[in-house]
C-alpha cells in the first residue's frame, strides 16, 4: 500500500487528512522519524538550556564555555528534530497532511516534566554549590538566564497553547503546572543569586550575557523550526506496494 492508497482509503471512510502515525506499518520510517523528531524537539527546550548551563557553571573555570556548549548542542538537536519531522511528513501528499492534530500522548506531558526536572536539578545544584563554595562563578549569568526564562514562561501561560500541545484536560493541567513550577524555579534562582557579602560582586554584563544567550537560542530555534517542511510526497514511494 502506498501513501496515496492510504489517503484514498481514509477519504472513502470519511476519516479526513493523514498524519505520519496513520501510515501503515510498511512505511515505518515515517512513524520512526516523526516520533524521534518529537523527542528531540522536546529536548531542545529553553528549560533544558538553563538547567545545563547552570550545571556546567559549577565545574567550569570560566563563564563562557557553559553558555556556548549547551547553546550549540541544543541548536544541533533542534536542527535534527526539524529534519526528522520534515522527512516524516514528506511521506504524505501535502494536501492530505493533518498538520493541526495534537502531538500524541504522553510525549508532550513527559517532555514538559523532563524539562522541568533538568531545570530544577541544574538550578538547585548550582545554588547548592554556590552556597558551599562562595568563589563559584556565574551567579549573574544564571540570574540572567533564569530571569529571561521566567519572562518566557509567564508569556506562555498567558497565551493559547499551540495546536500540538492541545489535548485532554490532563495534558493541559500537566503542561500548565510545569510552566508554573518552572516560573517559580526561575524566581527562586534570581532571588538566590542576588548579591551577597560573601560572594563575587554582581556583574551587569553577566546578567545581560545570560539573558542574551536564552533570547538568541529561542530565536535561532524558532527560525530552524520554520525551515520548509511538509511540501511533497517522496517520489520513491510511487512504486512501493
Amino acid at each position: 500500500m502506498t501513501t496515496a492508497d492510504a489517503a484514498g482509503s481514509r477519504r472513502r471512510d470519511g476519516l479526513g487528512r493523514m498524519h505520519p502515525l496513520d501510515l501503515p506499518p510498511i512505511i515505518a520510517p515515517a512513524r520512526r522519524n516523526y516520533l524521534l523528531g518529537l523527542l528531540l524537539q522536546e529536548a531542545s527546550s529553553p528549560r533544558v538550556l538553563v538547567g545545563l548551563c547552570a550545571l556546567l557553571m559549577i565545574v567550569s573555570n570560566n563563564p563562557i564555555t557553559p553558555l556556548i556548549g549547551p547553546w550549540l548542542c541544543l541548536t544541533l538537536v533542534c536542527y535534527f528534530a526539524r529534519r526528522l519531522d520534515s522527512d516524516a511528513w514528506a511521506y504524505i501528499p501535502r494536501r492530505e497532511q493533518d498538520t493541526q492534530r495534537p502531538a500524541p500522548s504522553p510525549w508532550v506531558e513527559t517532555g514538559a516534566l523532563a524539562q522541568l526536572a533538568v531545570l530544577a536539578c541544574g538550578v538547585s545544584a548550582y545554588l547548592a554549590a554556590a552556597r558551599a563554595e562562595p568563589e563559584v562563578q556565574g551567579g549573574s549569568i544564571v540570574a540572567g538566564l533564569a530571569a529571561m526564562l521566567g519572562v518566557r514562561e509567564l508569556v506562555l501561560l498567558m497565551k493559547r497553547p499551540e495546536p500540538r500541545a492541545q489535548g485532554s484536560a490532563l495534558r493541559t493541567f500537566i503542561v500548565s503546572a510545569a510552566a508554573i513550577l518552572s516560573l517559580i524555579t526561575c524566581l527562586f534562582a534570581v532571588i538566590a543569586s542576588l548579591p551577597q557579602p560573601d560572594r563575587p560582586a554582581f556583574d551587569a554584563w553577566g546578567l545581560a550575557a545570560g539573558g542574551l544567550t536564552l533570547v538568541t537560542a529561542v530565536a535561532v530555534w524558532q527560525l530552524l523550526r520554520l525551515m520548509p517542511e511538509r511540501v511533497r510526497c517522496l517520489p520513491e514511494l510511487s512504486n512501493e506496494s
Side-chain angles (χ1 to χ4, degrees):
M1 176 185 287
T2 66
T3 53
D5 295 333
S9 176
R10 288 180 66 84
R11 283 197 301 272
R12 290 192 298 272
D13 296 340
L15 297 178
R17 298 184 175 226
M18 295 185 68
H19 189 277
L21 298 181
D22 297 330
L23 294 175
I26 194 173
I27 314 178
R31 297 174 59 90
R32 182 180 64 247
N33 290 345
Y34 176 80
L35 293 176
L36 183 55
L38 184 58
L39 175 64
L40 295 180
Q41 185 174 346
E42 294 296 331
S44 55
S45 160
R47 297 171 189 164
V48 175
L49 176 64
V50 175
L52 292 179
C53 288
L55 278 174
L56 291 178
M57 204 70 70
I58 302 173
V59 298
S60 177
N61 58 2
N62 71 83
I64 304 301
T65 305
L67 294 179
I68 296 178
W71 194 102
L72 290 175
C73 289
L74 293 182
T75 298
L76 287 175
V77 169
C78 182
Y79 170 76
F80 285 115
R82 172 52 69 207
R83 286 296 304 271
L84 288 167
D85 187 68
S86 179
D87 289 346
W89 284 100
Y91 283 86
I92 305 173
R94 184 175 184 180
R95 62 184 179 181
E96 303 294 341
Q97 294 174 0
D98 184 5
T99 58
Q100 297 303 310
R101 185 184 304 185
S105 295
W107 291 84
V108 174
E109 298 91 324
T110 304
L113 294 176
Q115 294 165 13
L116 178 63
V118 173
L119 173 65
C121 289
V123 169
S124 59
Y126 174 80
L127 294 177
R131 182 180 296 274
E133 301 178 19
E135 65 275 9
V136 170
Q137 303 182 57
S140 302
I141 295 176
V142 172
L145 286 164
M148 196 56 63
L149 178 60
V151 171
R152 180 180 183 273
E153 298 289 11
L154 188 59
V155 171
L156 292 180
L157 283 170
M158 298 173 64
K159 285 179 57 179
R160 180 180 177 84
E162 297 178 358
R164 63 176 296 278
Q166 295 176 359
S168 65
L170 178 61
R171 169 177 292 187
T172 301
F173 172 78
I174 292 176
V175 171
S176 298
I180 292 171
L181 291 174
S182 176
L183 177 58
I184 293 173
T185 302
C186 291
L187 290 174
F188 179 74
V190 171
I191 294 172
S193 299
L194 291 176
Q196 301 290 337
D198 59 342
R199 296 182 188 173
F202 206 68
D203 182 10
W205 289 106
L207 185 71
L212 187 61
T213 298
L214 190 66
V215 169
T216 55
V218 172
V220 171
W221 297 348
Q222 189 61 36
L223 288 175
L224 288 175
R225 287 166 181 161
L226 292 176
M227 281 173 28
E229 59 169 343
R230 307 175 184 133
V231 293
R232 62 184 174 83
C233 188
L234 294 179
E236 60 267 24
L237 294 179
S238 57
N239 297 322
E240 189 173 323
S241 58

